[in-house]
Amino acid sequence: MQPYIGIPTDQLAGVSPYINTQSASIVPQAIKEAVIDAGGVPLILPFPAKADQIDALVKADVAAISGLFLPGGPDLDPTLYGQEPELKLGSVILPEDRFELALTQAAIQKGLPVFAICRGMQLLNVACGGDLYQDLGTDDPQAHLRHAQAAPGQYPTHHVRMAEGSRLADLLGPTGYVNSRHHQAVHHVGASLKVSAQAPDGVIEGIESQTGDQLLGVQWHPENLSASQPAQGRLFTDLVARAGAFSKTHQRK
C-alpha cells in the first residue's frame, strides 16, 4: 500500500485566477508530482485560521499520514524562536507557522519520518529547539554567496559539500550543485539534529537526525532540480521508503 505523505499548505496572497477569493491554500505542483513520482500519496494539510483549532487538526493529521514533507514558503515568525522581527524580515503568516510547528513536533514525537526543504528545513530546526538568521546579509558576516538567486529556480547556482558519513552524503554523494532561493538560514542547530551539508561560505545547507534516519532537511529545492539532476529525486524516494517502513511497523502494533 502506498504511504500517505502529509504536505502542509502555503497561502496564496492574491486573488486566485480560478476562484473569486483570496488566501487560497496551495501546494506547488512540482512538490505534489515529486511525491507521486516517488510512489507516495500526497495528502494536503491546510492550516486553520483559529489557534484553538490547531491541536485537534494536528492530532487528526498525524493519525492519517505515514510521513511528513515540509515545503518552502515565506519567512518564519521570529517570535516563535525567541527573537523580535528585524528590518529585513520578509512576510510571515503566523497561523501557518503555529500550525506547522505543532504538526512537526507531533510528527517527531510519533516517530513519523520527515523530509524538509528550504523554509521547511528552517521550520524543522526551530521545531527541534534551534533558531535562524532572520537575514543572512545582515546577521551572518561570513555569508558572501548569493543565496537568493536571480536565475530561474530550476537552475543550480552554487555548490554544497555533504558531511562525511551523513545520510545526505549516502543519498547524493560528497558534493552537490544546487539552486538557492532563501535569505534566512539555520543558525543554532536544534539539539536532536546535526549539520549534514554546507555552502562554501559556511551557510548550513542540510540537517538530519543525530542518530537514526527520522529527520532530514535541505536548504535547496530538489523538486525543481530532478529533471536535470535525477539523483535529487532520491530525497523523495527516500522519504516514501521511510514512510512505507513506518506504515508497516505501525500496522503491526
Side-chain angles (χ1 to χ4, degrees):
M1 184 175 179
Q2 293 175 288
Y4 285 95
I5 307 298
I7 309 174
T9 64
D10 199 357
Q11 180 172 283
L12 184 67
V15 176
S16 167
Y18 304 109
I19 52 177
N20 187 25
T21 186
Q22 291 181 321
S23 302
S25 294
I26 62 167
V27 166
Q29 181 84 356
I31 289 173
K32 177 202 72 174
E33 292 299 319
V35 170
I36 293 172
D37 288 345
V41 178
L43 189 64
I44 309 307
L45 309 177
F47 61 89
K50 299 175 182 176
D52 61 3
Q53 296 173 333
I54 289 176
D55 288 346
L57 197 57
V58 164
K59 184 177 180 180
D61 286 343
V62 168
I65 61 177
S66 298
L68 179 63
F69 176 82
L70 297 174
D75 287 358
L76 190 65
D77 191 308
T79 62
L80 297 174
Y81 51 90
Q83 298 181 15
E84 294 297 324
E86 298 176 359
L87 285 174
K88 292 191 177 181
L89 178 72
S91 63
V92 299
I93 305 173
L94 183 58
E96 177 180 353
D97 295 341
R98 284 174 171 166
F99 169 73
E100 290 187 11
L101 278 175
L103 176 68
T104 302
Q105 289 167 341
I108 293 171
Q109 184 175 13
K110 186 176 178 180
L112 290 172
V114 179
F115 175 47
I117 66 169
C118 201
R119 173 195 188 269
M121 186 185 91
Q122 297 163 12
L123 184 135
L124 175 61
N125 186 58
V126 171
C128 292
D131 63 12
L132 307 177
Y133 289 117
Q134 290 189 43
D135 179 70
L136 282 171
T138 303
D139 298 337
D140 185 357
Q142 297 185 61
H144 60 81
L145 296 181
R146 182 164 186 166
H147 288 275
Q149 70 184 56
Q154 71 270 31
Y155 297 127
T157 60
H158 73 71
H159 292 84
V160 296
R161 180 168 293 278
M162 318 305 173
E164 186 177 354
S166 66
R167 183 168 182 81
L168 199 52
D170 289 343
L171 290 167
L172 298 179
T175 61
Y177 189 34
V178 301
N179 51 9
S180 190
R181 306 202 299 268
H182 66 105
H183 79 110
Q184 297 196 307
V186 169
H187 184 196
H188 297 106
V189 180
S192 60
L193 299 167
K194 63 182 180 181
V195 176
S196 54
Q198 288 180 278
D201 61 357
V203 169
I204 294 172
E205 294 278 340
I207 55 175
E208 60 186 66
S209 300
Q210 285 192 7
T211 58
D213 63 358
Q214 184 187 9
L215 310 176
L216 181 65
V218 299
Q219 186 58 67
W220 62 89
H221 285 263
E223 77 279 14
N224 300 136
L225 290 174
S226 55
S228 60
Q229 299 183 33
Q232 295 287 333
R234 295 174 193 159
L235 296 170
F236 292 93
T237 55
D238 173 69
L239 171 63
V240 172
R242 289 185 286 136
F246 175 88
S247 180
K248 289 178 183 178
T249 302
H250 189 68
Q251 287 172 358
R252 288 199 297 266
K253 290 183 177 179

